[in-house]
């Protein structure tokens, strides 16, 4: 890692920052659709740009908020987890409209849930839907479990590749598992590929629902899904989503447990499959969707909500183009709130947005108006592939809350970048709280034979363990005196092997009430035994509390 001095030198190396900053701040068109003032309105017609020419990217910013004004039930956020969707309705004729799904979001369990004054925001890249996001657009999003705000950002510039068209391969819908497996629905289709196009992509968005058979299919059971092309396997995947690291937590329900493609309070997973290498322009492709055959145990009565789409593109607009796709830490984004704040190695995501394979990329990063650092990434990324990069640490003691952390990239494969508009990104720094070097850690264990699942440790920024306990014993209280930690950045990690945290098993209240047990507790007290911090016991996989000692 080489240290440079200030951002002025970076301008000489990459010549990107001013242009990129202006791009983000001044050259974005905002289209506001639904707002928090729309208490019950969830569908309407909105004015979008007449043409998508001249836009590098389209983002959908979707925010949900708990509020006493919501009408679905008596809770500020709806009690249950509901499947909701953002749909665009495209007229086929005077009386029929085709539904295009932009995203599928399952609402969080709303009992005792507070999403904050500003709500909780998810950011979606919807650039591929450019052909249907222009002119007069009829759109719907969400239900009345929460208040919803949806806006679209049209960021000016040249896209990575032009989107020619988007089409539904099958109608969006809710399908029975039995009908899918027996091919009563979603039968093979003949796709005629645009002869004037250069690229093609398949997109699948599937969520499993229902409680049928011994594994409660299809919400709680992982099944294999396949795209066949002309009788051959093109792509095969399983839909199964880890819910233990859900950023919206805790919730008033069984949010902790993994599900088929979704978690309460998260978007449904989207799977993109680049079809280009399997076909030629103008080909006819017999495409067939298949699902793992059901067993004769009742599971076939489960169901799947499905969206299958084909995107057609022009040729890549750049040969050599590296991009900063995201800053994961430090970040103020809601979706990364569970892994922030930090005072250790920054994590970013880079992307190859050029036609040529990306082998090296120069990354410059640091605090705005502070020292800047360089890191040369090396690897192999094909067109549109992404990779998460952990950057060497920087001295965070130079930062203040709400400082800007800046990342820029340049010199893909050691040559000039052809597209400077995606070379830089900025995020806000929020520092972990300060603690005294000495304090008490109090742990109250669960009962019912669960305490052995829980462990804890205190670790510094370079991974050195200062305190550790590999398991607890039922109903025991632990008083760990943490004494004279050196100056630095630390994490208190409390882990649970069963991934159900330290919450009592309230969901046994009807079937096995004797197994409910009691909640655990995690707390920090100062040396005078005054409460400093009460941590969440309903944390699923792990609860991480980051702090600094000066």
């Amino acid at each position: 890692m080489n240290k440079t001095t200030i951002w002025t030198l970076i301008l000489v190396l990459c010549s990107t920052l001013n242009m990129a900053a202006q791009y983000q701040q001044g050259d974005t068109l905002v289209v506001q659709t639904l707002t928090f003032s729309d208490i019950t309105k969830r569908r309407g017609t909105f004015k979008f740009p007449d043409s998508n020419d001249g836009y590098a990217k389209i983002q959908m910013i979707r925010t949900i908020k708990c509020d006493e004004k919501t009408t679905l039930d008596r809770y500020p956020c709806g009690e249950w987890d509901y499947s909701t969707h953002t749909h665009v309705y495209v007229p086929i004729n005077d009386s029929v409209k085709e539904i295009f799904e932009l995203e599928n979001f399952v609402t969080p369990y709303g009992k005792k849930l507070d999403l904050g004054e500003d709500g909780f925001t998810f950011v979606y890249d919807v650039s591929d839907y450019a052909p249907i996001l222009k002119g007069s657009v009829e759109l719907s999003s969400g239900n009345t479990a929460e208040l919803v705000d949806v806006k679209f950002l049209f960021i000016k510039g040249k896209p990575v590749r032009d989107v020619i068209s988007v089409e539904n391969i099958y109608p969006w819908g809710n399908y029975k598992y039995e009908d899918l497996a027996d091919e009563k629905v979603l039968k093979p289709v003949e796709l005629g590929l645009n002869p004037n196009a250069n690229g093609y992509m398949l997109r699948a968005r599937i969520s499993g629902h229902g409680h049928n058979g011994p594994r409660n299919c299809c919400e709680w059971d992982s099944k294999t899904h396949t795209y066949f092309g002309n009788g051959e396997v093109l792509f095969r995947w399983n839909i199964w989503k880890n819910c233990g690291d859900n950023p919206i937590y805790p919730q008033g329900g069984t949010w902790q447990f993994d599900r088929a493609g979704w978690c309460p309070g998260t978007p449904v997973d989207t799977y993109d499959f680049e079809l280009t290498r399997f076909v030629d322009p103008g080909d006819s492709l017999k495409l067939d969707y298949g699902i793992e055959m059901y067993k004769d145990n009742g599971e076939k009565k489960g169901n799947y909500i499905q969206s299958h789409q084909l995107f057609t593109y022009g040729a890549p607009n750049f040969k050599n183009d590296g991009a900063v796709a995201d800053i994961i830490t430090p970040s103020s984004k809601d979706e990364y709130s569970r892994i922030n704040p930090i005072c250790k190695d920054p994590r970013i995501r880079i992307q190859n947005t050029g036609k040529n394979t990306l082998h090296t990329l120069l990354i410059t990063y640091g605090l705005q108006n502070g020292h800047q650092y360089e890191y040369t990434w090396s690897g192999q990324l094909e067109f549109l592939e992404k990779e998460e990069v952990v950057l060497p640490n920087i001295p965070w003691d130079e930062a203040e809350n709400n400082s800007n952390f800046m990342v820029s990239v340049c010199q893909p494969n050691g040559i000039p970048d052809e597209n400077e508009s995606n070379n830089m990104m900025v995020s806000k720094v929020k520092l972990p709280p300060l603690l005294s070097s000495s304090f008490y850690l109090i742990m109250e264990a669960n009962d019912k034979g669960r305490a052995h699942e829980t462990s804890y440790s205190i670790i510094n920024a370079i991974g050195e363990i200062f305190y550790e306990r590999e398991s607890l014993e039922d109903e025991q209280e632990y008083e760990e005196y943490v004494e004279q930690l050196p100056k630095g950045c630390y994490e208190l990690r409390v882990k649970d092997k069963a991934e159900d945290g330290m919450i009592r098993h309230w969901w046994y209240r009807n079937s096995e009430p004797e197994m409910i047990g009691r909640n655990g507790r995690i707390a920090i007290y100062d040396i005078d035994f005054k409460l400093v911090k009460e941590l969440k016991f309903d944390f699923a996989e792990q609860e991480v509390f980051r702090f600094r000692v000066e």
Side-chain angles (χ1 to χ4, degrees):
M1 179 176 66
N2 300 313
K3 183 185 293 186
T4 60
T5 53
I6 56 176
W7 281 107
T8 305
L9 292 180
I10 308 306
L11 292 174
V12 176
L13 290 171
C14 298
S15 68
T16 64
L17 298 188
N18 287 340
M19 180 178 292
Q22 182 183 4
Y23 237 84
Q24 295 177 2
Q25 296 171 8
D27 289 339
T28 297
L29 173 67
V30 180
V31 176
Q32 181 71 58
T33 60
L34 300 170
T35 73
F36 290 150
S37 299
D38 296 317
I39 305 303
T40 58
K41 177 183 176 181
R42 294 294 180 269
R43 181 169 175 171
T45 301
F46 306 94
K47 178 63 177 175
F48 280 65
D50 291 329
S51 170
N52 293 133
D53 293 340
Y55 295 108
K57 181 179 288 189
I58 307 172
Q59 291 182 331
M60 181 174 71
I61 314 299
R62 189 175 186 275
T63 305
I64 60 172
K65 181 181 178 182
C66 301
D67 195 283
E68 296 290 345
K69 297 176 183 176
T70 59
T71 61
L72 187 66
D73 56 30
R74 61 191 178 92
Y75 296 98
C77 268
E79 178 180 6
W80 293 99
D81 49 339
Y82 303 96
S83 289
T84 70
H85 312 268
T86 300
H87 285 158
V88 170
Y89 303 86
V90 177
I92 297 176
N93 53 45
D94 291 341
S95 59
V96 179
K97 296 178 181 179
E98 184 175 9
I99 297 173
F100 287 84
E101 182 182 82
L102 303 190
E103 62 88 37
N104 178 352
F105 180 84
V106 181
T107 63
Y109 290 107
K111 278 187 176 180
K112 300 182 180 179
L113 183 64
D114 183 4
L115 295 176
E117 184 68 24
D118 298 323
F120 201 98
T121 297
F122 291 90
V123 180
Y124 303 82
D125 186 343
V126 293
S127 305
D128 291 325
Y129 297 99
I132 60 173
L133 295 177
K134 59 183 179 181
S136 180
V137 176
E138 185 178 358
L139 176 143
S140 66
S141 187
N143 62 7
T144 56
E146 302 92 17
L147 299 184
V148 178
D149 183 278
V150 182
K151 60 176 66 71
F152 292 80
L153 307 185
F154 288 76
I155 302 169
K156 292 185 179 179
K158 182 179 283 190
V160 172
R161 55 181 176 176
D162 295 298
V163 187
I164 297 174
S165 65
V166 52
E167 56 187 287
N168 286 319
I169 301 170
Y170 301 108
W172 172 87
N174 191 347
Y175 298 94
K176 284 292 184 184
Y177 181 19
E178 178 182 14
D179 293 343
L180 290 166
D182 290 342
E183 285 204 343
K184 296 177 183 177
V185 294
L186 306 195
K187 298 178 181 181
V189 294
E190 200 78 28
L191 298 179
L193 301 180
N194 187 332
N196 299 316
N198 185 269
Y200 312 89
M201 185 184 76
L202 303 174
R203 174 169 292 167
R205 193 179 297 113
I206 302 173
S207 58
H209 305 273
H211 299 79
N212 300 276
R215 296 177 60 87
N216 289 314
C217 191
C218 294
E219 178 175 339
W220 305 95
D221 200 0
S222 174
K223 299 295 183 183
T224 300
H225 304 253
T226 307
Y227 278 139
F228 298 92
N230 296 332
E232 302 291 331
V233 173
L234 291 177
F235 307 103
R236 178 163 282 163
W237 71 103
N238 282 68
I239 59 164
W240 194 245
K241 190 175 181 71
N242 176 27
C243 296
D245 58 359
N246 194 327
I248 297 181
Y249 84 108
Q251 300 176 27
T254 54
W255 64 272
Q256 308 94 335
F257 303 113
D258 302 350
R259 289 168 166 84
W262 62 277
C263 302
T266 70
V268 171
D269 287 342
T270 296
Y271 292 86
D272 288 344
F273 304 104
E274 190 68 24
L275 184 62
T276 307
R277 63 190 175 94
F278 295 102
V279 297
D280 292 315
D283 276 358
S284 179
L285 178 69
K286 186 177 182 180
L287 187 78
D288 187 17
Y289 161 79
I291 189 171
E292 177 182 335
M293 180 54 68
Y294 54 82
K295 299 178 178 63
D296 188 18
N297 57 13
E299 66 180 10
K300 65 183 181 181
K301 296 184 181 299
N303 60 291
Y304 289 91
I305 300 175
Q306 302 208 4
S307 170
H308 299 271
Q309 297 165 338
L310 170 68
F311 298 86
T312 303
Y313 304 94
N317 286 322
F318 309 99
K319 293 181 179 179
N320 298 290
D321 183 22
V324 182
D326 209 352
I327 298 175
I328 301 168
T329 62
S331 175
S332 58
K333 284 186 177 180
D334 289 340
E335 54 197 289
Y336 297 143
S337 57
R338 195 154 184 182
I339 54 176
N340 280 282
I342 62 147
C343 49
K344 58 183 296 186
D345 306 342
R347 291 163 55 192
I348 67 170
R349 188 172 291 116
I350 61 172
Q351 184 178 22
N352 178 18
T353 44
K355 179 181 179 181
N356 295 338
T357 303
L358 184 64
H359 294 288
T360 62
L361 193 64
L362 178 62
I363 303 172
T364 306
Y365 63 101
L367 298 170
Q368 187 177 18
N369 302 321
H371 292 288
Q372 303 305 312
Y373 302 85
E374 289 180 8
Y375 176 81
T376 299
W377 170 87
S378 60
Q380 180 170 317
L381 290 179
E382 302 301 329
F383 180 54
L384 297 180
E385 288 184 345
K386 298 178 182 180
E387 184 173 311
E388 189 173 307
V389 179
V390 178
L391 299 171
N393 206 1
I394 67 173
W396 295 100
D397 51 8
E398 298 178 3
E400 298 178 354
N401 277 324
N402 294 317
S403 297
N404 283 334
F405 176 78
M406 307 181 76
V407 178
S408 70
V409 297
C410 64
Q411 297 295 304
N413 297 328
I415 58 179
D417 194 303
E418 297 174 20
N419 176 26
E420 297 181 335
S421 68
N422 57 13
N423 286 8
M424 192 197 78
M425 192 170 287
V426 179
S427 68
K428 288 293 183 183
V429 175
K430 182 180 179 182
L431 294 174
L434 281 170
L435 255 59
S436 171
S437 61
S438 299
F439 55 86
Y440 290 98
L441 171 62
I442 304 299
M443 299 282 295
E444 295 179 9
N446 291 113
D447 55 358
K448 304 299 180 183
R450 294 176 54 208
H452 70 93
E453 303 165 357
T454 306
S455 62
Y456 66 83
S457 59
I458 296 177
I459 304 171
N460 69 6
I462 60 173
E464 294 176 327
I465 299 174
F466 283 74
Y467 292 86
E468 183 177 36
R469 189 179 294 271
E470 293 184 353
S471 65
L472 307 184
E473 294 183 9
D474 273 19
E475 300 185 64
Q476 296 299 305
E477 180 174 319
Y478 297 83
E479 184 181 295
E480 185 87 69
Y481 181 52
V482 178
E483 186 175 11
Q484 294 299 312
L485 288 175
K487 177 182 178 180
C489 180
Y490 296 88
E491 289 184 349
L492 166 61
R493 299 179 186 171
V494 182
K495 296 184 177 181
D496 187 81
K497 293 178 183 177
E499 299 187 6
D500 56 3
M502 299 175 72
I503 188 173
R504 66 195 186 105
H505 284 176
W506 57 266
W507 45 88
Y508 287 134
R509 64 188 182 276
N510 294 322
S511 60
E512 298 177 87
E514 70 278 4
M515 295 300 297
I516 292 176
R518 72 176 196 177
N519 291 326
R521 185 174 182 239
I522 315 162
I524 295 173
Y525 288 80
D526 66 16
I527 57 175
D528 297 322
F529 236 78
K530 294 180 180 178
L531 181 64
V532 174
K533 179 73 175 179
E534 190 89 34
L535 278 69
K536 299 172 181 178
F537 54 79
D538 186 8
F539 56 79
E541 288 182 4
Q542 67 174 352
E543 177 75 345
V544 180
F545 175 61
R546 302 169 185 87
F547 62 94
R548 294 173 294 144
V549 171
E550 291 187 348

